[in-house]
Each structure stands twice: as structure tokens, then as C-alpha cells.
């Protein structure tokens, strides 16, 4: 399938099945903002849960935090965002459209889409810097003293709480602080569905280490983050690590790699892993006069920890998992669309289908639904031919289908149908909860 067509079909499926809707759609839509529907919100929660499990719950060296979106404006001066979080922008003097000057070769003239901006009759202005932070005012007075920013990354909330966490938790380097939450960037160009938007969610972890161990931990986290995606079903041929060249690195960064995914629109950054050195803690310490050094009581050393940061966008991760899962195949001569999500990411874990409504089969199916709902997202469906019910759940990415038939009444077993292989097996009703739990283990 051509890449453009594949993307269009995925976007259509996301709308049809309630994964992602355009924001404010009945008002004509708000460009670059997206709403997650009933299945999308489950997928997103599962992606965030999988990250939190692997980064916080299963480790003893990382703790979590949840900071406010609005922070003291001086935070963003110190971090360098007020002065430097800019993209170069150009305008078309003819149609007034705006473009990012540094990626012009990937953009199209809105009036003549076969041409690049500036290749039509319209002349482009000279590039000028555009700050990507959204500004608002705190309190009733709308002047410069009340300006606050919507955070453009979650990382700074972690840095400014470094001392709070050290003082209140029994952590010592090497240790990490993880956070998930909304970030906002007034991107000049938004693109490719939920890939780049102006309001999005991030999952970031700052790992504080002794200065001499920065590169060791950088390599560790680069490999660990790559593995997280493959554990959750991304095929290695669609995933690669790209080490930044020295001229690409931010001035404070000692090393940086992107985990890139092969989206239908090309290889693009999914996650960044950076060795940020002691830049952030040092700057915040200088700006506030607060001592953010760590004192190691064993070695009697005092140092500002270096920081390794894996930073991932939730929406971008959801898009990668959707792209990876989106498959069309043929079973018994019939074409089907299937989302082959890893079971732990699937919005619904099992469909529950009484073969017929009568003879007590629906009652038995409902009692199975009640039992499984205590632990899992399941979906009960008694309408239509069984094949059609399977097909509907295939399109939602539901990995298992439980069919209750006449034999179920006799021997207390059901048919378990596997989404990807369509294989069927009989399982005792009494074992369903444990069986499903086993399938969701691992990632
Ligand atoms: N604290 C470092 C940081 O924020 P970044 O590379 O600017 O680094 C990290 O962002 C991740 O956040 C990206 O790899 C991407 O997954 C996601 N991201 C960044 N801008 C985004 C946008 N406009 N829309 C969706 N996701 C975005």
C-alpha cells in the first residue's frame, strides 16, 4: 500500500473506531489538536502504564513526580527556553502562509501543493526567530509582570524539584525521577496526524549520576529504551538508533541519540536520549542560590550530578504502535483489517460472545463478563454473526475472543480465539482470569 494511502486509511480507522478525533470537530476543527475517543484513551493509558511500569514500578532506583504545568517564569529564563527555544520562520508574501525555514524542503506550497514554498510566484520573507512557548497571564492583571508559560517540556519540573526529592526520599545517585504530563509548543508547522501537535503529552525521566558515569548511563538508557519498544511489539526493522553528530548537539549535551521509527511518512524521531551533563542543575543552582550538589558520605565527595534523560512523546508513541499494528490480511477468502497490538497495549483485552442469546448462553456470557471486568477491559457483544463480531474486534485490536456455546453449559469451557493467527482452543471458564493475566505479563 502506498505510504500516503496507508496513513489515510489509518487516520480513517482511528476515527471510525473511536481512537482519535479532530479537536472541536463540530466547529470545523482546531488544527493540530486531537481528542482521544473511547478506544484511544485506553490505548494511551496502556502506553503510559507500560512506560511507568518499566521506568518506576519495576525499579528501585527511580521515583515518580507530577508537577504543575504552570511554573515560575524564571524557570524558563534559567533553562534557556525564553531566549533560545526558537525555530526560524518564513512567511509567503503572497498567500501569507508560514513555514519553518529549516525544514522548507519537506513542506508544500498551500496553493500549489506540487511545489515547495517559495517555488511558486510568492516570495518568502527573510527567516526570523519564533519562540515556541505559549504565554498566558496569571491572575486578573494582564500585563508583563503576570506572564507565565505553558511548559514546553516536563523535564524542568523535575530539575527544580531535585532537592525536594533528595530531602524527602531515600534516593542517592545513580537514581532517576520520572514524570508524565502535558506539554505545549506553538509549533510553526504541525504534521502527520498526532505525530507533531501543539498540545501533547511527554514521558520523561531524568537520571542523576556521578559525573564520571555520565556516558556509561547514557549508553545504558539508549539501549534500554530501544528494547522497551521491541518488547512491546515494534519490529527491529522499523526501529533504529541514530547517534547525533557533534554539530547537532545542544551546547550543554555531551551525547544524544534518537530512537527513530519508520512511519509511513519516513524515518522520524520517536524518542530522544541525551546526556545533559550538569547543565540544568548548575543553572538552577546559580539562578536561585540553592545548593543542588550531592554529598556522597562514603567517598566524602561533593558534586553536581550529571543527568541522562530519555524523553518520549506519548502521542508519538501511540502513533508508532498504531502504525506497527495496522495490518490488512485475508482469512477464509475474506479481507480483514486488524490492529495487531501487543496484548498489554490493546484497548480491549477480550471480546465476549454468546453464540446465541437464548438457552441461557447470554446469561452465562454476562456472568463471565462481570467476572473478567473486575480486572480487565472486556467487551460484550451478542449482535450479529459470530464472524462479524470477531472482525469488529480485530479492527479494534482486541487480542482474544471468548465464545460461549452449548458445550460451555455442559463442561464449563469456552472457545478462546486468537486475533492474529485465528487459532482457537478450549479453555475452562474457571481459568480465564489467570489465563488472561498471563498473556498480559511481560512488557
Ligand atoms: N526534555 C527534552 C525534550 O523535551 P524533545 O526532543 O524536544 O526533548 C522529546 O522532546 C519528545 O517529545 C520527542 O522525541 C517527541 O516524542 C515528543 N515531542 C516533542 N515535540 C512534540 C510535538 N510537537 N508533538 C508531539 N510530540 C512531540
Amino acid at each position: 500500500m502506498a505510504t500516503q494511502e496507508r496513513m489515510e486509511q489509518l487516520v480513517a480507522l482511528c476515527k471510525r473506531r473511536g481512537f482519535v478525533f479532530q479537536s472541536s470537530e463540530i466547529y470545523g476543527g482546531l488544527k493540530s489538536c486531537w481528542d482521544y475517543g473511547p478506544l484511544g484513551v485506553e490505548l494511551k493509558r496502556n502506553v503510559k502504564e507500560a512506560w511507568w511500569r518499566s521506568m518506576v514500578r519495576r525499579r528501585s532506583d527511580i521515583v515518580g513526580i507530577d508537577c504543575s504545568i504552570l511554573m515560575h517564569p524564571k524557570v524558563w529564563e534559567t533553562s534557556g527556553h525564553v531566549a533560545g527555544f526558537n525555530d526560524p520562520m518564513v512567511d509567503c508574501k503572497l498567500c501569507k502562509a508560514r513555514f519553518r525555514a529549516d525544514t522548507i524542503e519537506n513542506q508544500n506550497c498551500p496553493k500549489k501543493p506540487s511545489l515547495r514554498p517559495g517555488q511558486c510566484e510568492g516570495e518568502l520573507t527573510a527567516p526570523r526567530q519564533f519562540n515556541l512557548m505559549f504565554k498566558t497571564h496569571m491572575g486578573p492583571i494582564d500585563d508583563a509582570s503576570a506572564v507565565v508559560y505553558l511548559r514546553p517540556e516536563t523535564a524542568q519540573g523535575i530539575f527544580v524539584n531535585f532537592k525536594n526529592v533528595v530531602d524527602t526520599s531515600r534516593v542517592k545517585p545513580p537514581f532517576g525521577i520520572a514524570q508524565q504530563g502535558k506539554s505545549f509548543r506553538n509549533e510553526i508547522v504541525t504534521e502527520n496526524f498526532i505525530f507533531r501537535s501543539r498540545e501533547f503529552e511527554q514521558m520523561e525521566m531524568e537520571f542523576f549520576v556521578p559525573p564520571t558515569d555520565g556516558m556509561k548511563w547514557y549508553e545504558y538508557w539508549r539501549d534500554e529504551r530501544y528494547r522497551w519498544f521491541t518488547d512491546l511489539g515494534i519490529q527491529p526493522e522499523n526501529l533504529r538508533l541514530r547517534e547525533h553528530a557533534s554539530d547537532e548537539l545542544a551546547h550543554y549535551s555531551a551525547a544524544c541519540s534518537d530512537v527513530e521509527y519508520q512511519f509511513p511518512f519516513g524515518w522520524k524521531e520517536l524518542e530522544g536520549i541525551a546526556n545533559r551533563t550538569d547543565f540544568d542543575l548548575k543553572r538552577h543552582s546559580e539562578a536561585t542560590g540553592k545548593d543542588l550538589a550531592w554529598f556522597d558520605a562514603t567517598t566524602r565527595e561533593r558534586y553536581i550530578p550529571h543527568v541522562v534523560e530519555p524523553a518520549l512523546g506519548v502521542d508519538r508513541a501511540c502513533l508508532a504502535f498504531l502504525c506497527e499494528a495496522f495490518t490488512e490480511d485475508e482469512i477464509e477468502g475474506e479481507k480483514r483489517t486488524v490492529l495487531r497490538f501487543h496484548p498489554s497495549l490493546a484497548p480491549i483485552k477480550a471480546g465476549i460472545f454468546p453464540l446465541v442469546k437464548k438457552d441461557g448462553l447470554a446469561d452465562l456470557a454476562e456472568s463471565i463478563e462481570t467476572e473478567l471486568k473486575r480486572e480487565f477491559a472486556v467487551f460484550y457483544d451478542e449482535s450479529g454473526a459470530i464472524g462479524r463480531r470477531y472482525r469488529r474486534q480485530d479492527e479494534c485490536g482486541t487480542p482474544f475472543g471468548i465464545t460461549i456455546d452449548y458445550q460451555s453449559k455442559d463442561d464449563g469451557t469456552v472457545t478462546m480465539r486468537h486475533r492474529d493467527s485465528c487459532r482457537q482452543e478450549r479453555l475452562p471458564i474457571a481459568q480465564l482470569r489467570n489465563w488472561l493475566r498471563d498473556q498480559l505479563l511481560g512488557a
Side-chain angles (χ1 to χ4, degrees):
M1 200 189 302
T3 52
Q4 173 79 9
E5 193 192 339
R6 186 172 162 76
M7 202 53 208
E8 280 166 13
Q9 292 199 359
L10 179 63
V11 174
L13 169 64
C14 282
K15 171 145 198 224
R16 185 168 71 246
R17 286 292 174 200
F19 279 92
V20 181
F21 307 122
Q22 175 79 69
S23 161
S24 324
E25 194 183 290
I26 60 169
Y27 281 89
L30 181 65
K31 201 168 173 294
S32 89
C33 293
W34 302 96
D35 298 339
Y36 286 78
L39 291 186
V41 72
E42 294 291 340
L43 171 66
K44 198 179 188 193
R45 288 173 77 105
N46 292 340
V47 168
K48 288 166 68 177
E49 269 297 310
W51 187 90
W52 198 259
R53 255 194 324 269
S54 90
M55 299 297 269
V56 183
R57 292 266 161 76
R58 288 189 184 151
R59 302 187 63 108
S60 47
D61 56 355
I62 303 182
V63 293
I65 201 164
D66 185 13
C67 307
S68 64
I69 287 171
L70 302 175
M71 299 175 70
H72 197 296
K74 285 222 162 70
V75 169
W76 305 110
E77 285 171 25
T78 305
S79 67
H81 284 82
V82 171
F85 196 50
N86 301 323
D87 277 339
M89 175 176 76
V90 290
D91 291 342
C92 173
K93 290 183 182 169
L94 190 66
C95 74
K96 311 292 178 215
R98 297 206 143 147
F99 309 99
R100 252 179 82 167
D102 55 339
T103 56
I104 208 105
E105 68 285 358
N106 303 328
Q107 296 165 69
N108 302 96
C109 164
K111 299 281 179 230
K112 296 190 176 159
S114 61
L115 299 177
R116 298 278 168 240
Q119 287 180 339
C120 57
E121 303 88 77
E123 193 193 334
L124 299 178
T125 59
R128 58 202 190 285
Q129 292 299 324
F130 175 75
N131 191 284
L132 302 187
M133 277 199 297
F134 278 98
K135 265 187 204 168
T136 186
H137 294 93
M138 191 165 238
I141 298 163
D142 186 354
D143 69 9
S145 67
V147 165
V148 288
Y149 302 96
L150 301 190
R151 68 179 176 201
E153 62 172 20
T154 58
Q156 296 304 321
I158 298 178
F159 294 127
V160 302
N161 275 292
F162 172 77
K163 196 169 158 37
N164 280 336
V165 174
V166 165
D167 290 349
T168 56
S169 322
R170 297 184 64 181
V171 290
K172 58 178 190 197
F175 80 95
I177 307 177
Q179 166 157 234
Q180 302 182 329
K182 288 261 176 167
S183 291
F184 301 82
R185 295 183 189 178
N186 201 0
E187 301 278 1
I188 299 166
V189 179
T190 55
E191 57 187 344
N192 296 320
F193 194 35
I194 52 175
F195 176 81
R196 188 185 308 283
S197 50
R198 296 193 169 104
E199 175 181 340
F200 55 99
E201 265 188 90
Q202 286 186 308
M203 310 191 271
E204 297 194 283
M205 194 274 292
E206 310 301 320
F207 202 70
F208 302 92
V209 303
T212 47
D213 291 351
M215 283 315 282
K216 183 181 91 183
W217 281 105
Y218 161 73
E219 282 161 20
Y220 169 86
W221 279 111
R222 187 193 55 195
D223 299 345
E224 198 60 18
R225 294 303 308 145
Y226 180 94
R227 200 167 56 81
W228 184 77
F229 290 104
T230 53
D231 283 353
L232 285 168
I234 303 269
Q235 293 302 310
E237 63 264 27
N238 289 331
L239 202 66
R240 69 183 184 196
L241 282 167
R242 189 182 72 79
E243 190 88 32
H244 285 208
S246 52
D247 60 354
E248 274 181 276
L249 294 175
H251 63 279
Y252 54 82
S253 184
C256 186
S257 287
D258 289 342
V259 179
E260 293 189 335
Y261 178 70
Q262 188 169 27
F263 288 96
F265 42 87
W267 284 98
K268 299 274 180 192
E269 174 188 339
L270 189 51
E271 167 158 3
I273 298 99
N275 177 350
R276 298 179 68 115
T277 66
D278 58 0
F279 174 81
D280 304 271
L281 287 183
K282 214 177 205 168
R283 290 276 293 241
H284 287 301
S285 180
E286 283 160 9
T288 58
K290 299 279 188 293
D291 182 8
L292 299 181
W294 169 262
F295 177 67
D296 187 324
T298 326
T299 61
R300 315 297 297 165
E301 266 180 294
R302 193 174 193 81
Y303 60 83
I304 301 246
H306 280 217
V307 171
V308 177
E309 173 197 72
L312 170 64
V314 178
D315 313 80
R316 212 171 270 191
C318 286
L319 183 58
F321 289 122
L322 277 162
C323 290
E324 188 74 18
F326 181 50
T327 320
E328 282 187 325
D329 61 10
E330 215 175 279
I331 43 166
E332 291 153 14
E334 202 189 320
K335 244 176 110 174
R336 73 165 180 165
T337 303
V338 52
L339 288 177
R340 294 174 185 263
F341 290 125
H342 185 286
S344 70
L345 297 184
I348 300 168
K349 308 305 180 197
I352 299 175
F353 312 121
L355 192 61
V356 291
K357 291 182 216 168
K358 57 185 190 196
D359 300 329
L361 295 191
D363 293 341
L364 181 55
E366 277 172 16
S367 71
I368 294 173
E369 183 203 9
T370 308
E371 166 70 4
L372 294 182
K373 260 195 183 306
R374 290 151 64 99
E375 209 171 325
F376 310 104
V378 295
F379 186 79
Y380 177 87
D381 188 0
E382 58 178 26
S383 64
I386 192 74
R388 284 183 60 82
R389 284 184 263 168
Y390 285 152
R391 236 54 101 238
R392 277 200 292 264
Q393 287 307 309
D394 289 343
E395 236 190 39
C396 299
T398 307
F400 307 110
I402 298 169
T403 304
I404 294 89
D405 53 21
Y406 286 102
Q407 189 184 333
S408 309
K409 280 179 55 180
D410 294 339
D411 67 2
T413 65
V414 292
T415 301
M416 181 66 76
R417 175 204 184 246
H418 295 248
R419 174 198 63 202
D420 298 347
S421 61
C422 298
R423 184 170 67 83
Q424 303 200 357
E425 61 183 316
R426 295 254 4 142
L427 290 176
I429 294 169
Q431 283 177 20
L432 285 177
R433 247 171 106 173
N434 279 343
W435 187 90
L436 272 176
R437 205 178 293 137
D438 282 349
Q439 308 305 308
L440 304 179
L441 277 181

